[in-house]
Each structure stands twice: as structure tokens, then as C-alpha cells.
Amino acid sequence: MASRTALRRRFGPATTVLVAYAAVVTGGTALLVLPIAKAGPGRSDVLDALFTAISAVSVTGLTTVDTPRQWNGFGQTVILVLVQAGGLGIMTLASLIGLAVARRLTLGSKLSTSVEAQGVGIADIRRFVTGAIRISLGIEAVGALLLGTWFWLTGDFSPGDAAWFGVFHSVMAFNNAGFVILPRGLVPFVGDPVVSGVIAALVLIGSLGFPVLDELRRHWRTPRRWTVNTRLVLWGSVVLTAVGTVFIVVVEWGRAGTLGPLDWPTKLLAGFFQAVQTRSGGFNTVDVGALDGATLLVMDVLMFIGGGPAGTAGGIKLTTFGVLFFVLVAEMRARSSVNVFGKRLPAGVDRTAITISLVSVAVVVGSTVALTVITDQPVGRMAFEAISAFATVGLSTGVTPDLPPAAQALLLVLMFAGRLGPILLASALAVRSRPLTYEFPTERPIIG
């Protein structure tokens, strides 16, 4: 009994989340390395299997191999299960099992799920768990039905293949993972409003986060009751998607390798689709490697920001970026408090946002430098791959499969850190409680 109590103390909620994700990655890697998972003779390389498992659990979508050629139906199913588990959250699923078996949640389960859900109160965990499951399965089912039916009606696929492609890509889109198993990817659907529109819609909805989706479900008719979190996520999604769409369309309008050969409606659709993917989707209907350097730089920024918290999106999160924006506004207007949509932010929120942002910048910059040293690739492309991995986006300029093993290993570490790092850091900052019993003398350095 004493040893069990000591074990609980050693493995706190944050550590439990980390160990749970690592265990699922290990299990997924073990399954993907089996010969029955490979589309062909032999077995997959351990690094490829590990990279794919981490990419799936972190809902990223970066790959070192061609997914439909490397993995058969069993392997693709393993990827789908890993993505679903990673998108919903390992501890969320564990809590769901606890509810199903024992009809209740232990305090440890509530604490671990609260850490994973990034700030959802312990009292709300039961509703969060059941709500997340219902929302995910419901939206994914609608997306699968629309995509599967359309794939079948186009006449290119059999009913069975169309249904499987619909289910797989619906789950990938809602969970903001960029895995594609269509024979020619999504490029042939660049002008297809149904496929592009449904996948873009699923990515956008999934990137909002479960708290926002739950609040919209309950109060969609009364916007005045929306919380600051919901307002920040919705406004941030609209503004950044619009900015990204306009920039991509304007810059790539006449480029031969991207939007140039397309008619103007398809250009607008393709530009919007790629802008949406920077929320953390990872799909592409144009050659990302052929995009202009300025476009890649803007996409770097959008990917780094990411989507809403407590959901499937990565990045520093729209709320973090929104807080930083309003801190800037307050400072420029010489205001002592930071006000957001008629509400005053409590003390410490701005410091948490700054800390998460600076740590994330340091990780991305350090990783970009390391990747540039390890490889002979341009720094711009390495920055794009590093941000895509850390922000769990999955977009790639096409260089990842050709990188040396050391660079691929760094990317898989970035994916894992990008999925769990901001969660654990935010949790650590939120629960710290070390008030000082004294204060140092005040002195102001020269700023600027």
C-alpha cells in the first residue's frame, strides 16, 4: 500500500499524461512494424513505424513514407485509431472507459484529464469527456457520409473503397491530422467544391476546440453568453483564415507551379483550402514545395499560432496569440489592465502567454538551426518543416522523406513535444503556487 501511494505521488497528473501518450506511441509502433501492417512483403523500418505512430498520436500527419503504398488496410486502421485517440486525448478516452465501467471518475482521472484538456475545470470533466466523444463521433459521421457518398457518386471508387476513404479522411480532417490514403492524394480534387469544402470545414470545426464547440452547441443563439475563450477562438479563426486566403491567392495567382494554371474560382477555392490547413490540418491540394518563399513564411506564422485550446489543433493556440495582441493594445494605450471583449484579464495570464510563446519560439529556432546543420537543405524549408512538426500541422515541402535519420528523429521529437509540451507547460504554470514573502527593490531598465 505504501509503495502504491508513493507511486501515485511520483506520477502526478502531468507525468501520467506523458506516460500515457508514450505508452500508446509504443503500442502503435509495435503494431505498425508487424508484417501484417505493411503493404508488401517484409516489415517496415522501426524508424518509419515510430515516426508514423508519433505523427498519428500527435495528430500531425508528417510522414517519411507514402502512406497508401507503405501501409495496408490493417496498418491504415492502426493509424486511424492512433489519430482518433490522439485527437480526443488519451486521458479523455481513459476517463470515458472509467465512466463506462464504473459509472464514475476517480480524482486521479479527473486531474489527468484536466491537465490534458488545458484548463477545463475538474467539476466539468465529466461533461467535457462525454461532450467531446459525442461531438467528435457525430461530426466525423456526417463528414464520412458526405465524403464517402461523393467518392462513390464520382464513379472512381467501389462502394467499399468509397466508404473507407470517407471514414478515414473524415477522421483525419476533424482531428487535424494530414494523413491521406487516396491513390493520388487530394491534388486531383483541387477544384472539387465537395471534397475540398467538406475537408476544410471539418478541419476548421476540429481546430476550434471542444470547449468552444460545446459552448456553441449550448448557446449558439445567444452570442452574448459566449466566453472570452470562445470569442478569441472564433474571431482569430476568421481573421487569420481570411488573411491567409488573401495572401496565398494574391501571391500565387500567376505562379505556374501552384495556382497559375487554374481558373479563378478554383484559385479562390485552393487558396482558401490551403489557408485553412495552417490551422493545423496538414492537407494540400497544391504542391507546397512549389509555393513562393513569402507564402511559406506567412504560412509559418499561421501554423505557429495554430487553433483553439483543448482540441485537436496545435501551435501556441489562438487564445495565446489573442492575449498577446490585447496586451500590445493595452500597452500602446497606456492602460494598467488588459481588457478583452469587455472583460478584464486576471493577473498572470499575460505572463503565461508570453512564457509559452517565448519557449515555443526558442524550440522552433533551435530545431531549425539543428536541422540546417544536419542537412544541406535551405534554412527556409527547414524552418517550415520544424514549425509544421512542432505545431502538429503536417504540411511539408516534400523534403521530410529524404532527410537523414538524425533529422527525422528530431522531427518526431518535435511532434511529440508539440502535442504535449504546451499542455504540460501551461499546466505547470497554472498550478504553481509559490508566493514570495518579500519583494525586491524596484528598478526599471531601459527598454527599446
Side-chain angles (χ1 to χ4, degrees):
M1 181 66 68
S3 61
R4 187 176 300 176
T5 303
L7 189 63
R8 287 199 192 100
R9 291 177 179 175
R10 180 179 301 178
F11 290 97
T15 306
T16 301
V17 173
L18 180 63
V19 171
Y21 273 82
V24 173
V25 167
T26 302
T29 302
L31 291 175
L32 289 175
V33 83
L34 295 175
I36 60 173
K38 189 173 183 294
R43 64 177 66 213
S44 298
D45 182 75
V46 175
L47 180 59
D48 291 333
L50 176 62
F51 195 99
T52 302
I54 289 182
S55 183
V57 172
S58 64
V59 291
T60 304
L62 277 178
T63 60
T64 55
V65 294
D66 186 0
T67 302
R69 294 183 180 180
Q70 182 72 17
W71 314 110
N72 57 20
F74 176 79
Q76 293 171 12
T77 302
V78 171
I79 293 173
L80 184 145
V81 172
L82 292 176
V83 167
Q84 187 74 81
L88 285 171
I90 305 302
M91 301 314 303
T92 301
L93 291 177
S95 297
L96 176 67
I97 295 173
L99 284 173
V101 175
R103 300 292 181 181
R104 65 184 181 88
L105 292 176
T106 64
L107 179 60
S109 297
K110 290 182 178 180
L111 290 172
S112 299
T113 307
S114 180
V115 168
E116 186 183 52
Q118 296 174 270
V120 175
I122 294 179
D124 298 326
I125 287 300
R126 185 186 184 98
R127 191 184 71 187
F128 174 83
V129 170
T130 56
I133 298 296
R134 290 173 181 172
I135 290 172
S136 296
L137 297 182
I139 295 176
E140 289 169 358
V142 173
L145 179 62
L146 293 174
L147 289 174
T149 301
W150 187 252
F151 287 145
W152 175 59
L153 291 177
T154 57
D156 294 332
F157 306 106
S158 66
D161 288 340
W164 172 238
F165 290 149
V167 170
F168 187 92
H169 294 97
S170 179
V171 172
M172 296 302 117
F174 178 76
N175 288 283
N176 280 213
F179 289 97
V180 177
I181 59 172
L182 289 165
R184 295 182 294 165
L186 290 179
V187 174
F189 300 95
V190 63
D192 190 319
V194 175
V195 175
S196 294
V198 170
I199 289 181
L202 289 170
V203 169
L204 273 177
I205 294 172
S207 71
L208 296 179
F210 295 119
V212 174
L213 293 176
D214 180 61
E215 187 165 335
L216 291 177
R217 179 184 62 83
R218 292 183 291 114
H219 305 305
W220 68 274
R221 291 184 177 180
T222 53
R224 288 180 298 178
R225 300 181 64 179
W226 293 352
T227 61
V228 170
N229 181 80
T230 295
R231 294 170 186 266
L232 282 173
V233 171
L234 291 179
W235 274 108
S237 298
V238 171
V239 171
L240 294 184
T241 300
V243 169
T245 300
V246 171
F247 193 92
I248 292 173
V249 170
V250 170
V251 175
E252 303 295 331
W253 186 271
R255 288 180 61 84
T258 54
L259 303 185
L262 308 175
D263 56 60
W264 71 265
T266 305
K267 290 180 181 181
L268 296 178
L269 178 61
F272 168 74
F273 185 87
Q274 289 308 139
V276 168
Q277 302 314 309
T278 59
R279 294 279 64 76
S280 195
F283 298 98
N284 65 285
T285 54
V286 296
D287 184 3
V288 176
L291 293 173
D292 186 81
T295 303
L296 293 177
L297 183 59
V298 169
M299 292 176 70
D300 284 342
V301 176
L302 297 178
M303 291 190 300
F304 184 76
I305 296 172
T312 60
I316 63 172
K317 302 298 187 295
L318 285 164
T319 47
T320 303
F321 177 75
V323 167
L324 294 178
F325 173 79
F326 283 102
V327 167
L328 175 63
V329 171
E331 186 65 25
M332 294 179 66
R333 294 181 177 180
R335 293 178 176 174
S336 58
S337 59
V338 181
N339 301 318
V340 181
F341 299 124
K343 298 292 182 65
R344 179 171 56 86
L345 293 182
V349 173
D350 52 348
R351 290 194 300 246
T352 301
I354 292 171
T355 301
I356 291 176
S357 300
L358 290 180
V359 170
S360 299
V361 168
V363 171
V364 168
V365 171
S367 302
T368 300
V369 172
L371 287 171
T372 305
V373 171
I374 295 173
T375 69
D376 57 355
Q377 296 289 338
V379 64
R381 291 184 178 273
M382 291 298 92
F384 190 90
E385 303 295 311
I387 294 173
S388 180
F390 180 74
T392 67
V393 178
L395 290 172
S396 175
T397 56
V399 301
T400 297
D402 299 324
L403 294 177
Q408 293 179 352
L410 179 56
L411 287 179
L412 66 85
V413 171
L414 277 175
M415 289 188 291
F416 196 71
R419 179 59 176 161
L420 291 183
I423 296 176
L424 300 182
L425 178 59
S427 172
L429 294 174
V431 301
R432 71 194 188 285
S433 178
R434 296 180 181 177
L436 290 175
T437 58
Y438 60 91
E439 290 186 356
F440 291 101
T442 301
E443 182 175 346
R444 181 183 179 89
I446 300 174
I447 304 296

